[in-house]
Amino acid sequence: MTPSAAWIITGPTAGIGRRTALELATHGTVVLAGRNRAKLDDVAQEIRARGGHAVPVVADLSDVTSARRAAGEIAALGLPLAGLVNNAGIMAMRPFTSAQGWDGVFATDHLGPFALTESLIPHLPDGANVVFVVSAVEDPERKPAVTAGFRGSRYISAEASARGEWLPGGSKLPGGDAYATSKQGNLATVLAFARETPRLRFNAVEPGFSPGSDLGRDANIALRVLSKYVLSPIAPMIKYWSNPKTAGRVITTVLTDPATGTGGYYDENGRTMRGSTQVSDPAFQDRYVAETRVLLNGVG
């Protein structure tokens, strides 16, 4: 892409999102979409101090109405959009509800990014790349995820997920089933959209276990300090682990490389990988997307 290209990223104020935003700034203008204007301005200021260009847009991805409104604001900027990174996400230790009264994790991690993406698709030029930051914990057979306490996606339906209901026999981790199920939705969306809209590219990146990310911001302060300052620097030397800086580079490469195809799923090193048996089934992908659309069609 040309240096004048514009790249959208959600959740750019901390962790992997912030590092990815800084990397993207070397490839063109960065549209920073997040819920906290002061934090967005801080990232934009850092990008400008490095000689780059950034435009903040307030968007709360847990609120479908806010996500759609942000898409309209981004389109109205008139920038030469080249790609989108759906990075915003949370694994909440305690349940919460969205503005629509839905499970907060499912809304933030799946429904909001889905609504934002669908609203932006008509404004993206042919060849633009949409990358979702996903998680392999959706796979019940992935050994590192099982060891960590996950039991894969527990998807029943989009409507059940919105109510915070999951298949029984799931994870004992607080918020584990909501997170794994939502992240499966991201991957299903990528694979279904890649088939539905061949003029664009849709890809997924599993950034690896990143102790320096802001995903576990609900954890106690001692664990957050340990993760950020002790574990994060050595993470890239451990299999399946990474850190925000390394993840930011991988995500940026997948997004900006014109040789990147569509329907790809990449690991923390940028190598191709496969999702769970369930999410690899096109019929399941289509079902997840269709049920999501039915749910979102009820929101004005």
Side-chain angles (χ1 to χ4, degrees):
M1 293 291 180
T2 64
S4 61
W7 311 91
I8 309 158
I9 179 168
T10 67
T13 61
I16 291 172
R18 189 179 187 115
R19 292 304 314 185
T20 304
L22 297 177
E23 287 283 339
L24 283 174
T26 65
H27 294 267
T29 299
V30 184
V31 179
L32 306 166
R35 60 183 177 177
N36 188 309
R37 182 55 191 251
K39 291 182 178 180
L40 292 174
D41 288 341
D42 179 64
V43 181
Q45 184 176 359
E46 183 174 358
I47 289 173
R48 291 164 187 154
R50 297 180 178 205
H53 302 278
V55 181
V57 174
V58 175
D60 181 352
L61 271 295
S62 72
D63 181 348
V64 169
T65 301
S66 176
R68 287 171 171 161
R69 182 172 58 246
E73 291 179 15
I74 292 168
L77 293 172
L79 294 169
L81 300 176
L84 161 67
V85 180
N86 281 304
N87 164 76
I90 185 173
M91 180 175 164
M93 306 295 285
R94 294 171 294 276
F96 70 101
T97 55
S98 72
Q100 282 75 39
W102 294 331
D103 178 85
V105 171
F106 190 67
T108 303
D109 293 3
H110 174 61
L111 298 176
F114 189 101
L116 178 74
T117 301
E118 284 220 308
S119 297
L120 283 171
I121 282 175
H123 306 286
L124 295 174
D126 291 355
N129 196 357
V130 177
V131 169
F132 280 75
V133 178
V134 303
S135 175
V137 301
E138 64 87 22
D139 187 350
E141 297 181 1
R142 187 168 174 86
K143 291 182 180 179
V146 173
T147 300
F150 290 93
R151 296 296 178 265
S153 170
R154 315 304 297 178
Y155 187 74
I156 299 171
S157 68
E159 188 174 299
S161 296
R163 294 194 299 266
E165 298 173 6
W166 325 103
L167 281 174
S171 173
K172 291 182 171 57
L173 295 172
D177 289 344
Y179 182 70
T181 305
S182 302
K183 285 299 173 180
Q184 184 183 60
N186 294 160
L187 186 51
T189 299
V190 164
L191 299 174
F193 280 20
R195 289 182 286 105
E196 284 185 5
T197 313
R199 73 175 188 85
L200 301 176
R201 295 177 291 155
F202 295 89
N203 292 285
V205 175
E206 152 61 92
F209 174 63
S210 186
S213 75
D214 198 41
L215 183 65
R217 51 187 173 270
D218 286 349
N220 67 67
I221 188 168
L223 182 57
R224 296 202 307 270
V225 170
L226 174 67
S227 296
K228 183 174 183 179
Y229 296 106
V230 178
L231 298 177
S232 186
I234 65 171
M237 294 182 282
I238 304 172
K239 190 175 183 180
Y240 303 121
W241 287 39
S242 186
N243 60 27
K245 185 175 182 180
T246 301
R249 284 203 212 98
V250 171
I251 293 166
T252 299
T253 298
V254 171
L255 181 71
T256 62
D257 188 345
T260 302
T262 190
Y265 183 17
Y266 300 89
D267 69 10
E268 70 277 6
N269 296 306
R271 295 190 291 254
T272 56
M273 60 181 286
R274 284 183 61 82
S276 64
T277 300
Q278 185 178 47
V279 84
S280 298
D281 178 4
F284 177 77
Q285 299 160 17
D286 290 343
R287 176 189 154 208
Y288 208 132
V289 166
E291 292 178 352
T292 298
R293 284 177 173 145
V294 169
L295 184 66
L296 294 180
N297 283 342
V299 181

